[in-house]
Amino acid sequence: ARPTARELYRLGLNPRVQGGWFAFVQEEGQLLPDEVAALAHAGGFLEDLERTPMSKCFKMVTLQVLIDADALAGGLPLNDLADRAHAMLVRSPELLRDIEGVKALGNAREPDLQSWWQYWRVNPVAAWLGESAEKRKKSWFALEGDRFVPRFQVPESARPALHRMVAELVDWRLAEYRARTRSTSLTDATAFECKVNHNGSGPILMLPDRAMIAGVPLGETPVRLPDGRVWNFRFVKIACNVAGVAGESDNRLPELLRGWFGPQAGMPGTRHRVRIRPTPEGWRIEPVALGDAQVIPFPGRAKLPAFTSLRAAAGWEGKLVNADELAPDDMVALPGAFPPGCFAVRASGTSMAGWRHEILDGDWLVCQPLDNIGFEAVAGQIALIARGLGENRSFHIKRVARDGQGWALRSDNPDVPAIAVTDDDAVVATVPRVVHPDALGPAAGAELEAGRVASAFGLSHEPTGTIDRVDGHLFLLAERLDAYDQLRVAVADRRPGETAFVLVRNRAGGHRYLGVGRWDEATAAWTVPEVDFETWRAFGHGRSASRRLDDKWLAEARQFVERLLAELPEGGWLGRDGKRCRVLGRSAEGGLRIDGGGDRSAPRTVSLIDIGWVLAARAQTVAPDEASVNQLRYLVGTPKASTRWIDTGWALLLAATLGDNRPS
């Protein structure tokens, strides 16, 4: 099924596209035939519905009333329309606020009927009729006597489709309005939210209207990050474009926002937001969960039977499961209360990672068993499916969907093809809950006092030693990291898809939690969330603060050197913006040797790695500079003295002038 506009909105995307949402859906080949007919006759109204201004909720409430009364085609008497609208407002306290305090109405919950009818006539009805001051290309409704009716007409066969399409847009617009009013109603300035935008070179923060929210900071302001670090944020009138460590010139705001929201942070079509709030320690910033979800603490833990050796989920293909693997081999403690008979398995693979439901490699899947249930009983649901018979039986997590006259097992990942159901396939269980390992502990970077690991993770007792399993969860308690994002600890009885909670011992005798580790077969190590410079210096084995350069960019750097030497023979000069160097030739490791000519500067090497990082940065930023390249290259918090800043500058010059200069 295609996503609705509201579903995309709640995923942090923006369904508002040129030409209208449904025109876009039609281009994608996802409109049904009756919806195509409805769009042909009422496309202008549908597109206007997406963009009509909403200082209050009234216009969408009017349409919702018509939808609920199945009166979109025939309309309603004005007084009946107003009465139904008031009933809807009373049922929705967040919308009722739009009429609270209106003097002409008195008690918003029980206004005088005549006053209410007049108020509704003057407000949304007048706007839809084109009588208000709002500039409209066309009025979409009219009055026939005292009846509020549409001007647009669609064939009777297409009316149900139009009803669905209008309902979808109204649902989205009201969700959007509710989110907006939540973020702008903080008149006591206890907190505020900022939209993440993009200024062409990176993501920035757009501040709320200062007339609406008092107390929004102005100028350089210390703000605490979720991991406890304090950065200076530069707040100007309408935006914050710059943030970083106090005393340093690097702008690390783009790095922070991309770390929270991914490489598309702030790009057109996204709806990322951050919340900034005062605390006893000063201002604090944090990302807002997609869909404006309220944070609800997990309930207490319950123990479930776990099939830890049953590799049963999300993309695994072809693994044979023996009969002795069909009995639970452990108990795992997960948050919540579960019906009798539920069990847990690990997800393996990424075929169920899609827009509808994120099931990631290593997630715990809570399964509710079903006996002798056909596929029709779980249509549209995610289920644990047994395929094949006897020793050839395998287990998969798929979404059950009808395929013509039969059934198919689909993946939420659109790149994974569907599987046709056969006579040997059976539904074992549904998956009512998915538990991400990251949600089972504190935030990465948390400092835990000695003896406080169990309480931080909701365990029955403290983990001990370097390797321990407690309540079905693997803990790795290390002395040091092997790389800024890796820990090499061999676990002899490591289970399929198993994740680990990785901690390192701090100087106070407690532990720092580094996050969820996932086993990487290629490096034979546990991959953990990347640490910052200070953490790596405190807990790492190596001294380098550079991230690993992808082999792709090393290959690009070799090709770059070949092209430059072909265009510029040995001893040729390159220059730009007053900066020049002479190319002496290739270095022993494949980079370039350069100098300033004569005794003006000694020869130096610009390595393939220096050039590769510049090329990688140029793929992300139109005009990279030393700061943006080093921001990509080095761990968060790396001081300038620990970088190859000068060689980065020469690599930028080489990259910028290739093809622009000839030997002088």
Side-chain angles (χ1 to χ4, degrees), residues 363-644:
D363 285 351
W364 282 108
L365 309 177
V366 177
C367 300
Q368 187 165 9
L370 301 172
D371 292 328
N372 300 318
I373 294 295
F375 285 92
E376 188 160 359
V378 294
Q381 298 183 51
I382 296 175
L384 174 62
I385 307 297
R387 309 204 72 217
L389 297 173
E391 292 186 354
N392 292 324
R393 174 161 284 199
S394 61
F395 294 82
H396 305 257
I397 297 295
K398 295 294 179 184
R399 190 178 297 277
V400 177
R402 186 174 289 282
D403 186 11
Q405 299 300 313
W407 294 95
L409 306 178
R410 298 191 183 279
S411 300
D412 284 353
N413 184 336
D415 295 330
V416 179
I419 303 171
V421 169
T422 69
D423 293 339
D424 294 334
D425 298 341
V427 178
V428 177
T430 56
V431 182
R433 185 177 300 175
V434 177
V435 180
H436 302 302
D438 307 76
L440 295 174
E447 298 283 354
L448 307 178
E449 297 177 2
R452 302 293 294 175
V453 174
S455 60
F457 286 86
L459 306 175
S460 60
H461 61 272
E462 287 286 311
T464 59
T466 302
I467 304 170
D468 196 7
R469 285 194 183 91
V470 183
D471 298 339
H473 303 290
L474 178 62
F475 283 81
L476 303 178
L477 284 66
E479 296 294 330
R480 304 186 71 81
L481 282 171
D482 295 286
Y484 62 87
D485 61 350
Q486 286 186 347
L487 175 68
R488 290 189 175 89
V489 174
V491 179
D493 60 344
R494 183 173 52 83
R495 297 161 176 176
E498 188 169 32
T499 60
F501 297 116
V502 179
L503 301 97
V504 289
R505 192 176 302 280
N506 60 27
R507 294 187 180 91
H511 290 88
R512 176 178 292 195
Y513 175 50
L514 298 183
V516 174
R518 290 176 166 82
W519 183 254
D520 180 14
E521 291 285 358
T523 59
W526 295 92
T527 299
V528 298
E530 177 185 297
V531 300
D532 61 15
F533 177 82
E534 291 184 2
T535 302
W536 175 235
R537 282 293 183 265
F539 301 108
H541 282 297
R543 305 305 299 168
S544 172
S546 176
R547 299 182 174 99
R548 285 181 293 275
L549 181 65
D550 191 286
D551 290 343
K552 167 189 174 181
W553 297 113
L554 274 177
E556 292 277 348
R558 291 189 183 93
Q559 294 178 18
F560 171 89
V561 170
E562 294 293 339
R563 297 200 321 270
L564 187 143
L565 292 177
E567 288 194 20
L568 194 68
E570 183 176 327
W573 286 84
L574 292 174
R576 174 171 286 189
D577 299 330
K579 187 174 182 178
R580 312 174 66 232
C581 71
R582 183 174 60 176
V583 178
L584 302 178
R586 196 191 310 269
S587 71
E589 293 79 19
L592 290 169
R593 293 285 288 172
I594 64 170
D595 72 356
D599 57 0
R600 278 175 287 184
S601 67
R604 66 186 310 119
T605 296
V606 182
S607 70
L608 286 175
I609 293 178
D610 295 327
I611 297 169
W613 279 112
V614 166
L615 298 178
R618 196 164 63 175
Q620 294 188 9
T621 306
V622 175
D625 56 13
E626 286 94 336
S628 61
V629 174
N630 287 334
Q631 178 179 306
L632 181 67
R633 180 174 184 175
Y634 295 103
L635 301 180
V636 172
T638 301
K640 187 174 180 178
S642 297
T643 70
R644 288 173 60 90

Side-chain angles (χ1 to χ4, degrees), residues 313-344:
W316 169 70
E317 295 181 3
K319 171 79 173 178
L320 297 182
V321 178
N322 297 322
D324 60 356
E325 293 180 313
L326 299 181
D329 49 9
D330 202 353
M331 300 291 289
V332 62
L334 297 175
F338 307 102
C342 285
F343 60 90

Side-chain angles (χ1 to χ4, degrees), residues 1-11 13-16 21-22 24-25 35 164-165 167-169 171-172 175 355-356:
R2 71 162 177 84
T4 67
R6 184 185 182 187
E7 285 173 331
L8 283 186
Y9 171 76
R10 293 191 68 81
L11 286 170
L13 303 175
N14 185 0
R16 193 171 283 105
W21 165 246
F22 286 112
F24 169 72
V25 174
E35 293 172 337
R164 296 194 305 270
M165 296 162 83
E168 179 175 338
L169 296 182
D171 188 38
W172 161 38
W355 69 268
R356 295 184 71 179

Side-chain angles (χ1 to χ4, degrees), residues 37-54:
L39 181 65
H41 287 82
F45 168 64
L46 293 170
E47 183 178 1
D48 191 33
L49 180 52
E50 298 178 31
R51 301 179 180 278
T52 184
M54 287 180 63

